[in-house]
Amino acid sequence: MINKKWDVILKDEFKKDYFRKLGTFVKHEYSVGLCFPKYGDIFNALRYTDYDDVKVVILGQDPYHGLGEAHGLSFSVHDNIRRPPSLNNILKELYDDVGVLRSGNDLTDWTKQGVLLLNSVLTVRANQPLSHSGKGWEIFTDTIISKLNERENPIVFILWGSYARSKKVLITNKCHFIIESAHPSPLSASRGFFGSRPFSRANDFLEKMGIDKINW
């Protein structure tokens, strides 16, 4: 369904009643209206970054709800799509933090290096933010966070905004490193996101742990 290791780690979740009901709900939603991301892209975060390869988790809430924006990775859009404001602020902080100027919007290259770009809710109706919340996705993605928490190899969890920060209760293993700040949304970025230096702090921790840094 996703890839070998995640399929093994999550095999019991796939059998649970809530996940079956979630699957039925999602299939119906996609059959009767426009939803994002594309059906085949729903699990891209897990497909691109396998369990053992995760070095950094950047947690979002739910997918972008505009036409063509979401492609299964939190905060990322394809290069031919207009850059959403939150992503614009993320890339501004990236430049200010580590001097990296990205011309594109697609963050898939991060996932290939061990950055899990995970939304808590993996699907959404067009132009209706949070329309698929409370349907079971949160149970599934909380399990993903909990399974990562069980790992002995250190992970950096980057939590932006109050919703992502609420997931901190799932990260109890002292070997991991949590970076938290305000959300990169224009509504809150100036209240603690700008200047938070998440990219250099993540790499400093990885280097300290003897783990290859991310080429942001």
Side-chain angles (χ1 to χ4, degrees), residues 35-51:
C35 296
F36 302 123
K38 293 179 181 178
Y39 193 81
D41 290 344
I42 291 174
F43 294 103
N44 273 354
L46 302 180
R47 188 172 292 119
Y48 292 168
T49 312
D50 205 356
Y51 179 81

Side-chain angles (χ1 to χ4, degrees), residues 100-193:
V100 172
L101 181 62
R102 292 184 65 101
S103 58
N105 304 324
D106 190 332
L107 306 179
T108 301
D109 61 298
W110 289 1
T111 72
K112 305 297 186 182
Q113 301 177 69
V115 181
L116 181 66
L117 296 174
L118 181 68
N119 280 315
S120 184
V121 176
L122 299 187
T123 56
V124 67
R125 287 183 206 141
N127 305 313
Q128 296 183 49
L130 300 177
S131 50
H132 288 182
S133 65
K135 304 297 183 181
W137 279 128
E138 294 93 338
I139 302 172
F140 180 67
T141 54
D142 280 0
T143 300
I144 290 170
I145 296 170
S146 295
K147 293 294 185 182
L148 289 169
N149 179 62
E150 294 172 2
R151 261 192 28 185
E152 295 181 1
N153 293 336
I155 298 171
V156 180
F157 289 87
I158 298 179
L159 310 178
W160 290 328
S162 58
Y163 182 82
R165 293 167 84 170
S166 72
K167 304 297 182 179
K168 190 164 60 169
V169 297
L170 302 172
I171 308 164
T172 58
N173 189 333
K174 299 301 183 183
C175 79
H176 303 312
F177 182 48
I178 298 174
I179 297 173
E180 53 184 317
S181 73
H183 195 276
S185 162
L187 298 174
S188 57
S190 61
R191 300 200 298 270
F193 174 73

Side-chain angles (χ1 to χ4, degrees), residues 14 35 54 72 77-79 81 93 107 113 129 137 155 182 194:
F14 299 142
C35 296
V54 176
V77 299
H78 289 301
D79 287 337
I81 299 296
E93 177 63 17
L107 306 179
Q113 301 177 69
W137 279 128
I155 298 171
F194 289 136

